[in-house]
Amino acid sequence: MTRVAAVDCGTNSLRLLVADVGPAGGPVEVLRRMEVVRLGQGVDATGRLAPEAVERARTVLTEYAAQARELGVERTRMVATSASRDAENRADFEGMVQSVLGQLPDVVPGLEEAALSFAGATGSLAAAAAAHGTAAPAPPWLVVDIGGGSTEFVLGDADGVRAARSVDIGCVRLTERHLHGDPPTPDEVQRAESDIRAALAQVVAEVPVHEAATLVGLAGSVTTVAALALGLPAYDAEVIHGSRIPVGAVRSVTAGLLTATRARRAALPVMHPGRVDVIGGGSLVLRVVMDAFAVDEVVVSEHDILDGIALSLR
């Protein structure tokens, strides 16, 4: 077994997984952390990473690097996704990472991001189902990873990825473009939904989503919607992982989030403070996906691109 550190820097959050990986099987988790740094703050409008956002990322990444050293990590890989791809001044961000980690981040294209998410999400589906006392989700799986700046759609099975597409709809991007009210107005929500549906038209042109037997949802927007749908008194990753949330519950939770004030969302016991401002946009993506693709339920995964990054370090 090799002890590795996987770092995922998205548009909204910066996450760390320290795990032991061997020649087969999934990563054995040692430590998992998530902090909201909002690296993508303003990128959609300005095309540049804000200096204060890069500094927030530096502070958290410095903590992660120290923890990795203390835990005896032998190999590290940091993957940076949508916000970094889009920024004109991405060299500033890369220089910061080099100074903290001693290596550059992998600023991966959307399709590689999708493949890493698929590998991480699907590796534990059977085990999660067994823990819930349900049948393993049937392949092919359509993995939907709702991020801050982009959402990845990946269709595949045990043999790997069949097709994938990354589109620029995410909880931060949609919020900054459209969802300005407190709560958002119906017109703002409709404009955001139109953006999502236009992106889904790009997806279906390249990914045969009708072949999927199971929709698998990833990332903080999906897991937060699941926690709310399940009525949890506090966020519980073990209960959420592998849960099956029907489309009716997703519609209900999404409607509630989009009509709630910021203060009301912040008071929800399962809500991470860093998701309060953007959870409406993220939940809307999930709801529109399920309606557009006529999906009855979503299988929720707590395992995602972080686990895929760890596996890539075997």
Side-chain angles (χ1 to χ4, degrees):
M1 302 288 278
T2 302
R3 180 152 293 182
V4 303
V7 181
D8 168 41
C9 185
T11 302
N12 195 45
S13 59
L14 181 59
R15 301 183 303 141
L16 168 70
L17 171 63
V18 175
D20 294 327
V21 297
V28 178
E29 180 178 326
V30 176
L31 171 71
R32 194 181 292 256
R33 282 191 60 185
M34 188 275 285
E35 301 291 340
V36 173
V37 299
R38 198 67 58 81
L39 182 66
Q41 170 194 332
V43 168
D44 190 55
T46 67
R48 299 180 63 82
L49 296 170
E52 61 269 29
V54 175
E55 185 55 34
R56 288 194 298 268
R58 179 199 299 274
T59 299
V60 173
L61 190 60
T62 300
E63 294 178 14
Y64 287 179
Q67 284 191 297
R69 286 193 297 270
E70 290 169 7
L71 291 170
V73 163
E74 300 171 56
R75 301 182 66 190
T76 299
R77 184 183 184 190
M78 177 175 176
V79 167
T81 53
S82 179
S84 306
R85 284 197 302 266
D86 298 342
E88 295 172 6
N89 61 333
R90 102 183 199 188
D92 296 343
F93 169 73
E94 292 176 336
M96 179 275 287
V97 174
Q98 175 79 55
S99 69
V100 174
L101 290 186
Q103 64 188 66
L104 289 170
D106 291 335
V107 182
V108 299
L111 290 181
E112 184 176 353
E113 181 181 354
L116 288 168
S117 294
F118 183 85
T122 59
S124 62
L125 287 178
H132 283 273
T134 60
W141 307 296
L142 178 63
V143 171
V144 178
D145 185 352
I146 302 173
S150 64
T151 295
E152 282 64 56
F153 295 79
V154 196
L155 180 71
D157 52 28
D159 294 326
V161 174
R162 296 186 187 178
R165 176 65 197 258
S166 176
V167 287
D168 285 338
I169 50 169
C171 59
V172 174
R173 197 183 297 268
L174 288 171
T175 301
E176 291 187 350
R177 282 183 182 174
H178 304 296
L179 305 177
H180 304 140
D182 184 22
T185 66
D187 185 58
E188 289 173 345
V189 173
Q190 185 56 53
R191 288 200 300 270
E193 181 168 342
S194 295
D195 253 15
I196 297 166
R197 290 189 179 276
L200 295 186
Q202 301 171 33
V203 172
V204 299
E206 297 183 28
V207 180
V209 298
H210 64 279
E211 294 180 5
T214 302
L215 176 70
V216 180
L218 315 185
S221 292
V222 177
T223 58
T224 302
V225 168
L228 292 167
L230 293 167
L232 299 182
Y235 194 93
D236 188 330
E238 288 189 12
V239 174
I240 293 167
H241 184 53
S243 63
R244 296 171 181 255
I245 309 300
V247 65
V250 172
R251 290 179 186 139
S252 177
V253 168
T254 300
L257 290 169
L258 288 170
T259 55
T261 62
R262 186 189 189 283
R264 186 174 167 191
R265 295 192 303 273
L268 295 169
V270 300
M271 186 68 64
H272 188 286
R275 299 208 184 280
V276 173
D277 293 330
V278 297
I279 185 60
S283 66
L284 185 62
V285 174
L286 179 61
R287 194 270 288 166
V288 174
V289 165
M290 295 183 76
D291 283 342
F293 296 165
V295 176
D296 293 334
E297 67 175 13
V298 58
V299 176
V300 180
S301 177
E302 284 277 354
H303 296 179
D304 50 30
I305 191 171
L306 267 182
D307 302 78
I309 296 166
L311 291 172
S312 75
L313 290 169
R314 279 177 171 159

